[in-house]
Amino acid sequence: MPRKNAEGHIHSRRAIMKMAAALSLSPLAVEKALALDGQLRVYANSSLRAGVQAVAKAFVAKNAGVNVRTEFANTDQIQTTTRVQLGAGTAPDVITVWPGSGNPLSVGQIAPAGYLMDLTSENFGAAVPELLQESFFVNGKSYFLPTTVSLIGTYANLRVVKQLGLEQPKTWSEFLAFCQKVKDAGKIPLALGNGSPWVTQLVTYALVATTGFARNPALAEDMRAGKITFANSDGWREALEKYMELNKRGFFNPNPNGTSYDEALQMVGSGEAAMAILTSPSTKGILNFAGHRDFIIWPTPATDNPSETRVPSSLGNSLGINAKTRNPDAALAFLKFMGSPEMLSLMGSELDLPVLGKDVKYDPIFADIMQMVNSGKIAMFMDNKWPNARVQQTHFSGIQELFAGSATIADVLKRMDQAYQSG
């Protein structure tokens, strides 16, 4: 029997079957979704604004009885306000959640407190690479829909690469030779904005994923057990030595400590620089400066064995459901809708970010490196398993001191050990 939704659109049984096939849902589930109504508040990170808005619009188009209200805030604001709202029982229905346990809204912090709906039965983690599952599950249960992947790689301006007749470097020796040819051509091989402290860590992470974690996947656990320290880790020392080798050879822009993140994006976007080692959320900024999409992210080689190359990766922040939501059916339907291949692909396109999921179509910028991520050739962002935030801050300042010539690699690694051991 045909049925009519709140917009007055008639859904025949045939239309429901067709919709069910497109969304990978049962006809019963589709019919139930068509009956959804009421209010639904979605509170998301500003970094996901374009993607969440596009999905919400598509969701409302199929569920006109639901009034979806989307709100956005930056990371600092959303972590503060949502935690207070959860405690007071006034949080939105769908809220932003981080993987791991490193901040106030991370799943490891708020799920044990009973603030999140258990979503284990939805199998949302099917596409999460094995090495990232530790940051997704909490005591074997799942509480959010993983959508985007944050990774660190080498952004290459393909117009510069083509102009100079170069090919992708797949070993450390090839990487050095590539940089030298770019430098000889009068361009900057690698843009680096260490004036923005968080950027200082990216080259280290890109290299130590291979020099340290490819050779010892249990490196973080060994450090936690006290078997290895930063100072006696060959992988960490080699990564910093190669970081400094790039600087010594003049492969970075002048004065990296006085260069901001945005200035580095502009260098590689404009073609003044051929490459930059950055996180995947940098894509939109680079494209905005460039005015074209002729870019690709390469994995950063750190040894002369290409099979050892690993991509530093982490799940991005995403959405979970407030355990006290007033509209659990609509909230769950919204996340299931967002998790469909069509909507994940839409999010990836709107955000210029790689997304997780089977049958997802990747932008050519991410296609190759996401093959490595999906095949498990990754290393979790190193700070995900550090015991406190002081290690990261010590790393930031230590890299800036290395570039200023006021510290040695041994000094930096010793201080990172002291910060790590301070608990």
Side-chain angles (χ1 to χ4, degrees):
M1 176 180 177
R3 56 177 300 159
K4 186 182 291 184
N5 71 6
E7 286 181 316
H9 296 158
I10 293 176
H11 299 283
S12 66
R13 185 66 185 167
R14 183 177 179 183
I16 291 173
M17 295 291 287
K18 186 176 180 180
M19 191 181 300
L23 298 177
S24 300
L25 297 174
S26 70
L28 182 61
V30 172
E31 289 191 74
K32 185 177 180 181
L34 290 172
L36 295 172
D37 58 16
Q39 302 288 323
L40 185 68
R41 289 178 61 202
V42 179
Y43 192 25
N45 194 299
S46 298
S47 64
L48 301 178
R49 178 189 295 270
V52 171
Q53 286 181 328
V55 172
K57 183 178 179 181
F59 181 79
V60 170
K62 296 181 180 298
N63 301 277
V66 182
N67 179 12
V68 179
R69 176 182 169 187
T70 55
E71 303 166 71
F72 300 92
N74 62 36
T75 297
D76 289 341
Q77 183 179 350
I78 209 166
Q79 289 182 353
T80 301
T81 57
T82 306
R83 191 60 192 255
V84 172
Q85 290 170 331
L86 286 170
T90 59
D93 304 287
V94 178
I95 61 174
T96 298
V97 175
W98 272 260
S101 57
N103 70 57
L105 277 188
S106 56
V107 66
Q109 296 282 340
I110 60 175
Y115 291 136
L116 291 175
M117 180 186 289
D118 183 352
L119 302 174
T120 308
S121 61
E122 303 301 330
N123 197 26
F124 284 154
V128 176
E130 183 177 354
L131 286 177
L132 300 184
Q133 289 184 1
E134 183 179 346
S135 64
F136 176 68
F137 290 105
V138 177
N139 299 324
K141 297 183 177 180
S142 64
Y143 296 91
F144 69 100
L145 171 71
T147 52
T148 63
V149 178
S150 185
L151 57 87
I152 299 173
T154 302
Y155 280 78
N157 186 322
L158 293 179
R159 294 189 178 183
V160 175
V161 173
K162 184 177 181 181
Q163 177 190 354
L164 300 181
L166 300 174
E167 295 183 354
Q168 178 187 353
K170 296 183 178 180
T171 67
W172 176 247
S173 295
E174 291 176 0
F175 191 68
L176 294 178
F178 184 109
C179 289
Q180 187 61 53
K181 289 177 181 176
V182 174
K183 182 181 177 183
D184 292 344
K187 288 185 176 292
I188 298 168
L190 288 159
L192 183 62
N194 279 355
S196 301
W198 70 272
V199 174
T200 59
Q201 66 191 322
L202 302 182
V203 175
T204 308
Y205 283 16
L207 297 173
V208 79
T210 298
T211 62
F213 290 83
R215 296 169 180 170
N216 179 10
L219 179 56
E221 288 72 23
D222 286 347
M223 290 188 69
R224 191 179 294 167
K227 298 177 182 177
I228 295 177
T229 67
F230 288 110
N232 68 19
S233 165
D234 292 340
W236 276 96
R237 185 179 63 256
E238 182 179 347
L240 292 189
E241 287 173 348
K242 288 181 171 174
Y243 197 165
M244 291 302 101
E245 182 179 1
L246 293 172
N247 187 46
K248 184 178 179 181
R249 288 174 180 256
F251 291 162
F252 295 124
N253 46 277
N255 191 20
N257 279 354
T259 303
S260 71
Y261 170 64
D262 282 345
E263 288 171 327
L265 296 185
Q266 187 167 11
M267 286 181 201
V268 70
S270 67
E272 182 182 0
M275 302 181 292
I277 296 175
L278 294 165
T279 56
S280 47
S282 305
T283 307
K284 190 171 282 294
I286 291 174
L287 298 181
N288 286 341
F289 281 121
H292 63 84
R293 301 184 65 87
D294 293 338
F295 291 86
I296 194 168
I297 308 177
W298 290 329
T300 307
T303 71
D304 282 341
N305 181 355
S307 69
E308 290 183 329
T309 301
R310 296 292 183 272
V311 180
S313 307
S314 175
L315 297 176
N317 66 79
S318 189
L319 299 176
I321 298 175
N322 173 9
K324 295 183 178 178
T325 174
R326 296 180 178 177
N327 200 341
D329 289 343
L332 182 57
F334 184 78
L335 286 201
K336 293 172 75 170
F337 183 77
M338 178 177 278
S340 68
E342 294 82 2
M343 291 301 107
L344 288 173
S345 296
L346 177 62
M347 284 193 71
S349 173
E350 291 290 334
L351 297 170
D352 279 318
L353 281 176
V355 295
L356 281 172
K358 296 178 179 178
D359 303 321
V360 168
K361 295 180 180 178
Y362 293 113
D363 186 283
I365 293 172
F366 307 113
D368 289 347
I369 202 163
M370 282 305 294
Q371 283 188 7
M372 290 189 66
V373 172
N374 289 327
S375 65
K377 291 188 174 181
I378 59 176
M380 188 184 295
F381 281 0
M382 292 70 209
D383 51 83
N384 278 195
K385 294 186 178 181
W386 288 346
N388 59 60
R390 291 185 292 279
V391 185
Q392 188 180 56
Q393 296 299 318
T394 303
H395 181 216
F396 292 172
S397 59
I399 295 298
Q400 289 179 326
E401 290 176 40
L402 287 174
F403 275 82
S406 58
T408 66
I409 290 173
D411 293 334
V412 173
L413 294 175
K414 181 180 179 180
R415 287 184 215 157
M416 289 174 69
D417 278 327
Q418 291 170 339
Y420 189 99
Q421 292 159 8
S422 67

